[in-house]
Amino acid sequence: MVKPHPVVAAAARKGSLARAACAVLWAFFGVRRRADYEADAAQLNPVHVVAMAIAVAAAFVATLLAIVHWIVG
């Protein structure tokens, strides 16, 4: 029996975008229980997590830029 490559197997996981968003937001906040982290690592699709992390980081930077623009201008 042929085993799938680990990267392909990880990308085939069925994790929801909402759960990926929750995991990313908790990671940005810096508070996460180890059991929750391990459950997310086993269930979430890494592509969803990376996409959500990029989106959250972009929103954070855009918010900071808007606040600075509002204060300065």
Side-chain angles (χ1 to χ4, degrees):
M1 183 171 190
V2 177
K3 287 181 152 181
H5 192 272
V7 173
V8 174
R13 294 181 194 150
K14 301 290 184 190
S16 70
L17 283 176
R19 184 154 179 178
C22 182
V24 168
L25 289 173
W26 278 115
F28 270 70
F29 187 59
V31 180
R32 193 80 172 137
R33 287 189 338 183
R34 184 171 183 87
D36 291 338
Y37 167 76
E38 290 173 355
D40 288 342
Q43 295 173 357
L44 290 178
N45 185 334
V47 176
H48 292 170
V49 174
V50 170
M52 195 58 62
I54 291 170
V56 169
F60 180 70
V61 169
T63 302
L64 289 179
L65 288 173
I67 290 171
V68 168
H69 182 68
W70 177 65
I71 290 173
V72 172

